[in-house]
Amino acid sequence: MRLDELLEELRERLEAVLATRDRVHALLDAVVAVGSDLDLGTMLRRIVETATTLVDATYGALGVAGDHSTLVQFVPVGLSEEEIAKIEHWPRGLGLLGLLIKEPQTLRLARITDHPASYGFPPGHPPMGSFLGVPVRVREEVFGNLYLTEKRGGGEFDEEDEAIVTALATAAGVAIENARLYEETRRREMWLQASAEVTTSLLSGAEPDRVLTLIARRARQMVGADIAVVLLPDETGRVLGAVVADGTNHERVADARAPVAGSLAGMAFTGGEPLMVTDAAEAEIPIVIAEYASLGPVAAVPIGAAGGVRGVLSLGKRQGRVPFNQAELRTLHSFAGQAAIALELAEGRMDAERLGLLEDRDRIAKDLHDVVIQRLFAVAMTLMSTVRLVERPEASERLRNAIDELDGTIRQIRSTIFALQTPGDGDDGLRAQIVTLVEGSRGHLGFMPGLTMEGRLDSGVPQAIAEHLPAVLREALSNVVRHARASRVEVSVELGEERLVLVVTDDGVGLPTGGRRSGLRNLQERAEDLGGFLATETPERGGTRLVWSVPLDQEGDD
């Protein structure tokens, strides 16, 4: 009988050795499997699945630790889709799970609810009994914890289970670090590619909005965000407005505006450093893009260095996703800094092109003045001296008409010279307003009025007169449209040394006798307020000639 007992004990020990060998082989296979994938999301799930298999657990999860002893990511295994749908929310790092984050050490329990730090399960969570928690460290930093519950067969996790999961957690830490390094390398490659693409687009003359959209898209792709918005300051510098957006619900963010004072984007704009929050819904500071989409993690990255920030790149992820980490923020900040430099270079190129255009305009103006006008003037003088030698009245009249046409051409060329020498784009200048009004009357008249402008209207007209002239011209053209029934209209604006004179001539029916003249009375009052006058007359060929004249010196009248 003693021999039988010894043989039975030997058999049990051999079975235990074989079982241990099998578990060691399984552990080695698990270590190899965990380290075979460099995608972090896939790897985390594989770690949990492997751990549950090694210790025969029903449920398993890996909680990624965040700031303030919270869980920023929860990767569950063993729950069906129906069970997941019943759970109101994933654990947030309270109670027992929060204890493991604050005090990262292995913990084995026969029943979870027996521990004094147990906080209970979220509503809808299935009941769980036995528990094994093991910290996962990456370079002595706690990345998170492995949670295993409900050992199959109703037993408890033993010391061997703890040793196996601890060994797996050690291997998992190395694999996670490798995955992080791989992601950082891939992110750097994307950063270099995106920076080169943005710089090339800017320097090749692409539109600024198109380039800003490219910046937002590439930044969103680099960190896997759901939405990216570029915010630029308005004229006052007190409000940041969205100019471009890319990603989910980007159309809704088109009108987003954030105050510089008291918002996350404003703090990044004034401080020149990237900022982030893990959950926009619980943030104490306003987050403008979160008002247009249901966002969790949000980052605000300044475009440019402190003291020279041009705007803010704001990115967001859906609720429940992993927050932005410091490595991602550093990459985004570097990318935004490169984009700011590229924008400055592009603006320098545009300024150089604008300067070249102004130099070309100035050269053309000088050539017109020194060459073309002088030649036309010489031709006119020659024709004037020839008039006396012509005996036939018809020929003499034709010469005088030709001389008048030359004089008119010289005046128009001088007007063109003044326009070419006017600094700026001229889109808001007095000349541009006059041209817009005259061209706008074409649809009402049925033909294009003639227009002559002389003098430096954009720079030589006092502001008080420049505010009245467009209104006067609009009223004069409106009178022609409503009453004149004209087939020809000429508009002349001449800036002399002492006066500005507006003349509107038409070949219509003329001024009616005893008719209402409220419009003309308004023009007369405007002229008198400026120390000038309004005169209307009927030319020899019929029609109406309106003259609105005001002195340039508003201190007195002539």
Side-chain angles (χ1 to χ4, degrees):
M1 292 181 61
R2 178 62 179 165
L3 179 60
D4 291 340
E5 292 177 357
L6 290 175
L7 290 174
E8 181 64 22
E9 182 179 354
L10 178 60
R11 186 184 64 80
E12 291 177 354
R13 290 188 177 183
L14 286 173
E15 290 179 351
V17 169
L18 291 175
T20 303
R21 184 201 63 182
D22 292 340
R23 298 191 74 177
V24 170
H25 286 170
L27 176 61
L28 292 175
D29 292 339
V31 169
V32 173
V34 165
S36 62
D37 201 314
L38 291 177
D39 180 73
L40 186 58
T42 304
M43 179 183 297
L44 295 182
R45 175 164 293 277
R46 183 171 294 175
I47 291 170
V48 182
E49 291 173 344
T50 303
T52 55
T53 301
L54 286 174
V55 297
D56 205 21
T58 305
Y59 306 109
L62 193 150
V64 180
D67 298 331
H68 310 295
S69 300
T70 58
L71 291 176
V72 296
Q73 187 178 7
F74 197 76
V75 183
V77 168
L79 295 172
S80 64
E81 293 184 1
E82 292 77 10
E83 290 175 320
I84 292 176
K86 294 179 182 178
I87 300 175
E88 185 174 307
H89 60 82
W90 292 121
R92 296 172 177 172
L94 303 175
L96 188 60
L97 302 190
L99 175 65
L100 289 175
I101 297 174
K102 296 175 185 177
E103 302 176 5
Q105 56 186 0
T106 302
L107 180 64
R108 279 190 298 120
L109 298 172
R111 292 187 62 82
I112 298 177
T113 55
D114 293 341
H115 196 281
S118 177
Y119 190 80
F121 300 102
H125 197 285
M128 295 180 180
S130 56
F131 176 83
L132 173 60
V134 177
V136 178
R137 289 181 170 84
V138 177
R139 290 189 177 182
E140 303 302 323
E141 174 188 353
V142 177
F143 175 80
N145 288 282
L146 266 172
Y147 309 115
L148 302 165
T149 61
E150 286 293 292
K151 189 175 179 68
R152 298 183 188 278
E156 301 179 11
F157 296 105
D158 55 23
E159 294 182 358
E160 189 174 341
D161 293 330
E162 179 180 333
I164 288 177
V165 176
T166 301
L168 178 65
T170 303
V174 176
I176 291 171
E177 176 65 8
N178 290 336
R180 279 181 165 182
L181 292 174
Y182 170 75
E183 282 197 353
E184 185 173 351
T185 302
R186 185 172 56 87
R187 192 162 46 244
R188 285 182 176 276
E189 290 178 355
M190 293 180 63
W191 169 67
L192 290 173
Q193 182 179 359
S195 296
E197 189 175 357
V198 169
T199 304
T200 302
S201 298
L202 280 169
L203 298 182
S204 61
E207 292 295 328
D209 286 351
R210 181 179 176 185
V211 177
L212 290 176
T213 302
L214 179 62
I215 291 173
R217 181 177 300 117
R218 292 293 177 262
R220 182 180 63 81
Q221 292 171 349
M222 273 192 287
V223 295
D226 295 301
I227 188 169
V229 184
V230 176
L231 303 161
L232 298 182
D234 63 0
E235 297 80 2
T236 66
R238 294 193 293 267
V239 177
L240 295 170
V243 291
V244 297
D246 183 78
T248 306
N249 294 328
H250 69 275
E251 302 90 352
R252 299 177 57 189
V253 194
D255 299 326
R257 293 170 63 83
V260 172
S263 67
L264 183 69
M267 292 175 61
F269 180 76
T270 55
E273 293 294 332
L275 301 172
M276 70 171 180
V277 296
T278 57
D279 191 349
E282 299 179 359
E284 298 179 356
I285 187 170
I287 300 174
V288 61
I289 65 172
E291 299 175 4
Y292 300 86
S294 180
L295 298 178
V298 174
V301 182
I303 302 176
V309 178
R310 306 173 63 88
V312 175
L313 177 62
S314 189
L315 303 103
K317 297 181 180 181
R318 297 188 307 274
Q319 287 185 342
R321 294 194 58 194
V322 181
F324 301 97
N325 56 48
Q326 292 300 321
E328 290 174 334
L329 287 183
R330 288 193 298 269
T331 302
L332 288 172
H333 197 195
S334 299
F335 173 65
Q338 288 288 105
I341 294 173
L343 286 171
E344 291 181 4
L345 290 175
E347 288 183 357
R349 178 184 56 79
M350 294 175 64
D351 290 339
E353 291 178 354
R354 192 178 296 112
L355 179 60
L357 176 61
L358 292 176
E359 290 176 348
D360 288 341
R361 291 174 61 174
D362 189 56
R363 177 182 55 78
I364 294 171
K366 288 180 179 179
D367 289 343
L368 287 173
H369 182 272
D370 297 340
V371 179
V372 178
I373 286 183
Q374 299 303 323
R375 289 188 176 183
L376 290 175
F377 187 73
V379 172
M381 294 295 293
T382 302
L383 293 176
M384 289 178 62
S385 63
T386 308
V387 170
R388 296 189 297 271
L389 303 177
V390 178
E391 296 180 356
R392 295 182 60 181
E394 296 86 355
S396 177
E397 182 65 23
R398 289 185 179 182
L399 283 176
R400 289 190 179 92
N401 290 337
I403 293 171
D404 292 340
E405 290 293 333
L406 285 173
D407 289 340
T409 302
I410 290 173
R411 286 195 298 270
Q412 289 187 2
I413 292 176
R414 283 176 175 166
S415 178
T416 302
I417 291 172
F418 290 141
L420 287 171
Q421 292 177 335
T422 300
D425 296 331
D427 293 340
D428 300 323
L430 191 56
R431 282 179 173 273
Q433 296 181 53
I434 293 171
V435 172
T436 301
L437 288 172
V438 172
E439 291 181 346
S441 66
R442 179 178 185 175
H444 301 285
L445 291 169
F447 57 88
M448 183 67 185
L451 175 62
T452 302
M453 294 184 287
E454 294 188 34
R456 298 179 181 274
L457 297 176
D458 287 331
S459 58
V461 179
Q463 183 63 29
I465 299 176
E467 292 176 354
H468 285 273
L469 182 62
V472 172
L473 177 57
R474 185 182 296 107
E475 180 65 29
L477 290 172
S478 177
N479 287 337
V480 174
V481 171
R482 289 181 293 174
H483 307 298
R485 297 199 295 274
S487 61
R488 185 170 179 269
V489 178
E490 295 291 336
V491 177
S492 172
V493 184
E494 181 179 354
L495 177 65
E497 294 183 0
E498 298 181 355
R499 306 186 71 83
L500 173 71
V501 181
L502 166 66
V503 180
V504 180
T505 307
D506 66 75
D507 62 351
V509 298
L511 293 173
T513 303
R516 295 181 59 187
R517 300 196 175 189
S518 57
L520 295 179
R521 189 178 304 111
N522 182 31
L523 300 185
Q524 183 176 356
E525 290 175 356
R526 286 179 181 272
E528 291 175 350
D529 289 342
L530 297 171
F533 65 88
L534 172 72
T536 58
E537 58 185 32
T538 302
E540 295 181 359
R541 298 180 180 179
T544 304
R545 185 172 184 269
L546 180 148
V547 180
W548 190 83
S549 176
V550 292
L552 299 179
D553 184 6
Q554 293 300 297
E555 295 297 327
D557 201 354
D558 47 333

